[in-house]
Amino acid sequence: GLGPFKYYYRQNDTALTDSIYTELLTIKVESVAVDTTQVIKNIKGPMEMPFHWGEILHYIVAISVCLLLLALFLWWLKTRKKPAEIMQTASRPAHESSMEELEALQQKELWQKGRYKEYQIEVSDIIRTYIEKRFSVPAMELTSDETLHHFSGKRLSVEAIEKLEYILLLADTVKFAKAVPLGTEHELSMKYAKDFVNMTKQIVDTSSAKDEKEREEMP
């Protein structure tokens, strides 16, 4: 048992203190009753919980999504075009598009309708754009003299440079000097533009390119 505990306390409205004891506290401890007539058994093992698919369903879904993304990525790597192939399909030879634009301009018959200034400017712009694509010369930003200077003494034949000079200078006289060319001059400007493109177009050896592609695809 536990002996009594002593507590001190102060009497009301006085400075006097007194003490008090608790009663004796008796604690009784008893062991578990054992039936000695029965066989003694081992401690019971852990219980097995039943299996539920719902507990791992989110893991299955996550793994499936990862496998699907991996399969899509591998498919993209296999089917995507190489940069060279993209460039080949996305861009056409400069001379093809330029010739089409010249033909379309000729069909408009602008100078025959009195719109000779618009006609000459378009001829000049088509040739300047062709020069940018074909020779990487910023002809649209340069003057006619600066453009011709890029080809002086190199890269082009004398005949090609003369035809280019005629196209650019005629357009300049119409645009800045307000000149009114003759019909034959308009026709000659178109002819020289087509001649210039045909004389300077880049020839692609398709047979060698095909052979090279076949060699790359060989195991």
Side-chain angles (χ1 to χ4, degrees):
L2 296 176
F5 292 95
K6 184 178 181 180
Y7 294 94
Y8 294 93
Y9 66 93
R10 179 179 296 174
Q11 297 181 5
N12 294 337
D13 301 329
T14 65
L16 300 176
T17 59
D18 202 349
S19 61
I20 188 173
Y21 289 89
T22 63
E23 296 181 354
L24 179 64
L25 179 63
T26 302
I27 300 176
K28 183 178 180 182
V29 180
E30 295 183 353
S31 62
V32 179
V34 179
D35 187 357
T36 57
T37 62
Q38 300 293 329
V39 179
I40 299 176
K41 299 179 180 179
N42 292 329
I43 299 175
K44 191 172 184 180
M47 295 179 60
E48 293 185 0
M49 298 297 293
F51 175 78
H52 296 286
W53 282 101
E55 297 177 355
I56 63 170
L57 181 61
H58 56 287
Y59 294 107
I60 296 176
V61 171
I63 294 174
S64 300
V65 171
C66 291
L67 292 176
L68 177 61
L69 293 175
L70 178 60
L72 290 174
F73 177 71
L74 294 176
W75 174 82
W76 175 78
L77 287 178
K78 184 178 180 180
T79 58
R80 73 186 180 96
K81 293 183 178 181
K82 298 179 180 179
E85 295 175 346
I86 295 175
M87 181 64 68
Q88 183 177 2
T89 56
S91 61
R92 299 173 58 196
H95 66 275
E96 290 185 4
S97 57
S98 297
M99 290 297 290
E100 289 180 1
E101 292 173 4
L102 290 172
E103 290 291 346
L105 176 60
Q106 191 172 14
Q107 295 299 321
K108 293 180 182 179
E109 298 185 347
L110 294 180
W111 70 266
Q112 293 91 332
K113 299 174 183 178
R115 298 160 58 182
Y116 54 87
K117 181 178 180 180
E118 181 181 349
Y119 173 81
Q120 287 296 331
I121 291 175
E122 286 200 33
V123 173
S124 175
D125 287 348
I126 291 173
I127 294 302
R128 289 175 182 274
T129 302
Y130 167 75
I131 292 174
E132 288 192 350
K133 294 180 180 179
R134 174 66 178 86
F135 301 102
S136 299
V137 175
M140 293 296 291
E141 304 174 5
L142 302 176
T143 65
S144 297
D145 290 338
E146 290 172 339
T147 302
L148 292 169
H149 178 71
H150 274 276
F151 300 107
S152 60
K154 58 180 179 180
R155 307 179 78 171
L156 299 183
S157 65
V158 174
E159 183 181 0
I161 293 177
E162 289 178 349
K163 291 179 183 293
L164 176 60
E165 182 178 13
Y166 181 90
I167 297 167
L168 298 181
L169 295 184
L170 180 60
D172 286 347
T173 58
V174 173
K175 183 176 180 180
F176 302 111
K178 298 182 180 181
V180 181
L182 299 174
T184 54
E185 292 178 303
H186 289 305
E187 293 175 352
L188 195 58
S189 178
M190 175 61 69
K191 180 181 183 303
Y192 281 178
K194 292 180 179 180
D195 290 345
F196 178 80
V197 172
N198 286 323
M199 293 173 66
T200 59
K201 65 183 179 181
Q202 185 176 15
I203 305 300
V204 179
D205 189 353
T206 57
S207 60
S208 60
K210 182 178 179 181
D211 293 340
E212 182 178 354
K213 182 178 180 181
E214 290 178 352
R215 288 195 297 271
E216 292 178 354
E217 294 177 352
M218 291 180 61

